[in-house]
């Protein structure tokens, strides 16, 4: 199954690939396929632990509406928030990994399947990214809520 808008998401994502046609070919020939895309040109990715990431995503929806693209690893154990290029090199945070210039990310075809790496928020095709300031505030709020509810951070 392919979601509406996936075609524009594909075009946006492949524009970051060194060989957009090869990237598109790989996705279209393998319905469960993933490709490697370089970070640092159109986006960076901030990777957070799954529990904190899911809580942060909930807060982001309340704060500012839909965020930019969000990837999830198998079992939602890690989430990757797409942020503006350069963010990863400036981000300081315990337990947060950054994928910026010189890094590559695994990207599944937008809108297909939830096995393995999958999209929680599919790219909109317009280049919408998550504002790093909003992301940081949402992470603090999510961690604070978790402490208040259960005495531990996600």
């Amino acid at each position: 199954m392919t979601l509406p808008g996936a075609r524009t998401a594909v075009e946006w994502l492949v524009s970051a690939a060194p060989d957009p046609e090869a990237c598109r070919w790989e996705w279209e020939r393998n319905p469960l396929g993933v490709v490697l895309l370089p970070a640092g040109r159109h986006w960076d990715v901030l990777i957070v632990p799954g529990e904190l990431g899911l809580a942060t995503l909930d807060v982001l929806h309340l704060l500012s509406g839909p965020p930019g693209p969000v990837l999830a690893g198998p079992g939602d154990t890690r989430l990757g928030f797409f942020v503006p290029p350069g963010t990863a090199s400036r981000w300081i945070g315990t337990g947060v990994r950054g994928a910026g210039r010189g890094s590559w990310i695994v990207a599944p075809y937008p809108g297909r399947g939830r096995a393995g790496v999958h999209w929680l928020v599919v790219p909109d095709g317009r280049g919408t990214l998550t504002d790093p300031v909003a992301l940081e505030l949402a992470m603090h709020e999510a961690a604070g809520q978790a402490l208040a509810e259960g005495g531990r951070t996600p």
Side-chain angles (χ1 to χ4, degrees):
M1 177 181 123
T2 301
L3 296 176
R7 186 57 68 195
T8 56
V10 166
E11 296 309 315
W12 181 72
L13 287 165
V14 300
S15 72
D19 185 345
E21 288 306 312
C23 179
R24 189 178 292 106
W25 185 90
E26 182 66 30
W27 270 333
E28 291 176 359
R29 299 308 180 273
N30 182 351
L32 298 176
V34 295
V35 295
L36 289 175
L37 293 174
R41 183 170 155 213
H42 292 322
W43 60 75
D44 283 359
V45 180
L46 294 178
I47 304 159
V48 302
E51 195 174 339
L52 175 61
L54 291 170
T56 298
L57 185 56
D58 288 343
V59 174
L60 276 173
H61 281 294
L62 295 173
L63 287 178
S64 59
V70 180
L71 278 174
D76 296 347
T77 56
R78 294 239 172 240
L79 267 62
F81 292 87
F82 280 51
V83 293
T87 302
S89 65
R90 297 185 306 271
W91 192 271
I92 299 172
T94 303
V96 177
R97 294 187 328 214
R101 186 164 299 282
S103 301
W104 293 75
I105 62 157
V106 173
Y109 192 92
R112 287 191 192 155
R114 289 193 50 94
V117 176
H118 58 277
W119 295 101
L120 290 180
V121 178
V122 176
D124 62 11
R126 297 186 313 263
T128 301
L129 301 170
T130 299
D131 175 12
V133 173
L135 179 60
E136 183 177 11
L137 291 172
M139 287 174 69
H140 285 288
E141 179 65 23
Q145 287 175 2
L147 279 172
E149 291 171 5
R152 66 179 190 86
T153 56

